[in-house]
């Protein structure tokens, strides 16, 4: 009861919960498409690739305003995407290896820049390292505003292009034969995943962000055979685990938020894998024992 | 090309378009895969109102040919015209059945929903399918004998049923020419009959069908025109005069005997 009144009246807690909920909804919705397109790892690469962007943005401007840092993260996520597409198209390296290469190179550069900034010890840099594993306690009202605007924008694009995203996800060749350009729509979808990653920077951080894209989608798939329901349910699971993780992390002596969110999410995923009707493991066991 | 100006005068009338030029005219088509030609200098005109089979050994470029025609693969040379115009301007006249194995059938959706995707082309960007589209999709499912499976999750369908869902989706495109990639692969006898009945029905309605086909035994019974392909076009023409031992030898090389006697085994061993 105390927590509930705090949620409504406490400024910090409300920010934290709102931010985590927005992140959960957006990453659940976009993660559904990423998972069905077998691009779960793309989110991992894009999230890790955001780190050098944050550092460069800070080094260039000396500012820690969310807009500046988010923009830096988005640009380096984008650059990573372009590098990735080029590698896949112009070399014989397969996509999974290319994802690994891009992830480690960008993240390596990011850690190098971050260490450089931290060593230089100007007072202003405090908190930049929180982007690694997230720290919901540092979320400000300004952050939440930026996150919400970005999130609503991403969800609107999905709502408008829902039919197109669905068909390129199920059957890209057929979609292209109808004139729905898979390459162009794929870039739009990837850009929206970058937006989701940017939204998650403060709360979950770059290292564990991909779980926020994959987890809710995997759990939601267990409960339904309809894409519409899967997308909505994934958004709900994402929000639930986001809020739960964020609240646990601030109530217990400022634990990093990312791991707490992921642990909450893991509980939902495990329950879904075990108990979901038709697709759950227990369901399988029951079916086999009958047969 | 002489028909170009006439076509412009009556663009919406399908019958005009159909009667005035070939459903598919391909000139000097070359497609390259990793520096090696997959299709080389193919020149062919597919006649209207016929069932045409594309036949050739594995790796002959049969699917590649269809994909290049549909602009799904880049062409290094050549032109493709559908009823006298580039494919991009004629999408509404074309139906496509990709290989069944090219998609993940565990996708969370129903048979009816997949068939409804056939209407997306005519709907265009952003607009959602409504009652008219769903009714059309239902009719198309009925035409392939799948009306009772409309709300079934697609992973719960048999291979043959999935293939019929793909055919129904192409029917929902309401096209003039249909390109089908191995529609008979891995289907049960019931589905095979259903497909061939459907193809004959399409022909009766004046539609054109072009199928990549792998079974030499059934080909003479099912098709009235044939295109023999092995990277280059070996021969194309009416089935009886084109599907000759001589042409088959040129298409399949030394493996021809095996090709006819044990075609399935041959395909695997070349695999």
């Amino acid at each position: 009861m105390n927590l509930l009144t705090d949620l409504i009246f406490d400024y910090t807690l409300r920010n934290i919960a709102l931010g985590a909920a927005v992140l959960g909804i957006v990453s659940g919705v976009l993660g559904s498409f990423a998972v069905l397109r077998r691009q779960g790892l793309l989110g991992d690469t894009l999230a890790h690739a955001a780190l050098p962007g944050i550092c460069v943005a800070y080094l260039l401007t000396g500012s820690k305003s969310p807009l500046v840092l988010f923009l830096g993260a988005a640009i380096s996520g984008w650059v990573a995407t372009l590098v990735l597409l080029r590698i896949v198209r112009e070399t014989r390296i397969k996509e999974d290896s290319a994802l690994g290469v891009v992830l480690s190179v960008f993240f390596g550069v990011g850690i190098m820049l971050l260490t450089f900034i931290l060593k230089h010890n100007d007072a202003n840099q405090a908190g930049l390292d929180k982007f690694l594993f997230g720290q919901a306690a540092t979320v400000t009202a300004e952050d939440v505003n930026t996150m919400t605007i970005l999130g609503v924008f991403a969800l609107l694009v999905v709502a408008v292009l829902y039919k197109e995203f669905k068909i390129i996800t199920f059957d890209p060749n057929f979609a292209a034969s109808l004139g729905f350009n898979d390459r162009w729509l794929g870039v739009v979808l990837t850009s929206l995943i970058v937006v989701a990653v940017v939204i998650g920077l403060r709360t979950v951080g770059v290292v564990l962000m991909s779980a926020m894209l994959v987890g809710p989608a995997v759990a939601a798939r267990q409960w339904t055979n309809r894409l519409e329901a899967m997308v909505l349910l994934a958004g709900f699971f994402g929000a639930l685990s986001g809020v739960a993780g964020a609240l646990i992390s601030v109530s217990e002596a400022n634990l990093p938020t990312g791991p707490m969110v992921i642990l909450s999410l893991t509980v939902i995923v495990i329950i879904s894998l075990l108990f979901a009707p038709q697709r759950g493991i227990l369901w399988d066991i029951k079916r086999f024992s009958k047969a | 090309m002489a028909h170009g100006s006439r076509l412009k005068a009556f663009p919406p009338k399908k019958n005009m378009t159909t009667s005035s030029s070939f459903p598919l005219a391909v000139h000097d088509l070359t497609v390259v895969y990793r520096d090696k030609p997959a299709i080389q200098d193919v020149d062919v005109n597919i006649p209207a109102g016929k069932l045409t089979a594309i036949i050739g050994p594995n790796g002959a470029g049969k699917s590649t040919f269809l994909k290049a025609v549909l602009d799904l693969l880049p062409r290094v040379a050549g032109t493709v015209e559908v009823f006298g115009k580039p494919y991009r301007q004629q999408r509404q006249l074309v139906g496509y059945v990709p290989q069944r194995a090219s998609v993940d059938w565990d996708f969370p959706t129903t048979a009816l929903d997949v068939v409804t995707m056939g209407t997306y082309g005519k709907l265009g960007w952003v607009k959602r399918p409504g009652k008219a589209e769903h009714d059309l999709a239902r009719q198309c499912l009925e035409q392939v004998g799948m009306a009772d499976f409309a709300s079934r999750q697609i992973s719960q369908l048999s291979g043959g049923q999935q293939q019929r869902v793909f055919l129904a989706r192409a029917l929902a495109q309401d096209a003039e020419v249909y390109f089908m990639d191995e529609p008979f692969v891995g289907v049960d006898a019931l589905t095979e009959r259903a497909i061939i009945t459907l193809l004959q029905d399409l022909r009766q309605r004046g539609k054109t069908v072009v199928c990549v086909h792998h079974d030499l035994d059934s080909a003479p019974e099912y098709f009235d025109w044939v295109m023999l392909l092995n990277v280059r076009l070996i021969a194309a023409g009416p089935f009886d005069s084109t599907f000759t031992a001589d042409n088959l030898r040129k298409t399949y090389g030394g493996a021809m005997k095996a090709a006819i006697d044990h075609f399935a085994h041959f395909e695997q061993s070349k695999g």
Side-chain angles (χ1 to χ4, degrees), chain A residues 59-143:
Chain A
L59 283 172
L60 288 180
T61 63
S63 157
K64 284 197 300 182
S65 89
L67 210 62
V68 169
L69 298 185
F70 286 6
L71 201 64
I75 290 173
S76 77
W78 244 93
V79 172
T81 311
L82 295 181
V83 171
L84 185 75
L85 287 177
R86 267 223 111 93
I87 292 178
V88 172
R89 249 179 240 153
E90 311 211 345
T91 72
R92 295 190 182 199
I93 298 172
K94 296 274 186 297
E95 193 173 2
D96 55 339
S97 313
L99 282 166
V101 170
V102 174
L103 183 153
S104 14
V105 169
F106 275 75
F107 191 58
V109 172
I111 289 290
M112 190 186 77
L113 291 173
L114 186 62
T115 317
F116 173 79
I117 294 170
L118 296 180
K119 284 248 163 79
H120 274 68
N121 215 16
D122 65 290
N124 194 28
Q125 53 77 17
L128 272 187
D129 56 325
K130 297 287 188 258
F131 282 114
L132 281 179
F133 292 105
Q135 189 59 276
T138 63
V139 172
T140 64
E142 196 190 355
D143 289 330

Side-chain angles (χ1 to χ4, degrees), chain A residues 8 16 33 61 65 72 83 87-88 92 97 130 147 187 195-196 200 214 252 271 282:
Chain A
I8 299 167
I16 291 169
F33 291 102
T61 63
S65 89
V83 171
I87 292 178
V88 172
R92 295 190 182 199
S97 313
K130 297 287 188 258
M147 287 158 81
V187 169
V195 171
V214 176
E252 282 298 322
I271 291 174
L282 288 189

Side-chain angles (χ1 to χ4, degrees), chain B residues 17-136:
Chain B
T17 332
T18 347
S19 58
S20 52
S21 54
F22 288 106
L24 179 65
V26 174
H27 303 293
D28 294 325
L29 176 65
T30 298
V31 178
V32 171
Y33 182 73
R34 296 221 184 281
D35 308 332
K36 242 181 77 185
I39 295 278
Q40 198 169 6
D41 302 330
V42 168
D43 241 300
V44 71
N45 292 329
I46 304 285
K50 301 266 189 266
L51 304 181
T52 295
I54 303 178
I55 287 177
N58 258 17
K62 305 185 294 283
S63 294
T64 305
F65 176 79
L66 282 195
K67 285 185 177 163
V69 162
L70 295 168
D71 266 349
L72 301 177
L73 288 175
R75 310 188 277 267
V76 294
T79 59
V80 171
E81 285 184 349
V82 175
F83 294 114
K85 286 184 189 172
Y87 173 69
R88 272 157 211 268
Q89 296 169 35
Q90 302 283 58
R91 291 185 204 277
Q92 313 274 317
L93 301 179
V94 175
Y96 176 40
V97 180
Q99 284 186 16
R100 181 165 57 88
S102 67
V103 305
D104 176 10
W105 288 90
D106 196 34
F107 190 84
T109 193
T110 60
L112 183 71
D113 201 37
V114 171
V115 177
T116 307
M117 289 179 190
T119 67
Y120 286 10
K122 288 198 166 64
L123 272 176
W125 287 85
V126 179
K127 223 177 139 214
R128 299 285 177 89
K131 190 176 179 305
E133 284 74 25
H134 288 123
D135 287 347
L136 174 63

Side-chain angles (χ1 to χ4, degrees), chain A residues 177-197:
Chain A
S177 83
L178 296 181
F180 299 112
N181 189 312
D182 176 41
R183 197 174 281 187
W184 187 83
L185 282 166
V187 169
V188 175
L189 207 47
T190 308
S191 307
L192 293 180
I193 292 175
V194 172
V195 171
V197 164

Side-chain angles (χ1 to χ4, degrees), chain A residues 8 41 51 54 58 67 78 98 123 128 131 134 144 161-162 177 204 235 242 244 275 288:
Chain A
I8 299 167
L41 280 177
L51 188 61
I54 295 169
Y58 174 76
L67 210 62
W78 244 93
L128 272 187
F131 282 114
V144 173
L161 291 177
Y162 179 76
S177 83
V204 174
F275 300 111
F288 275 117

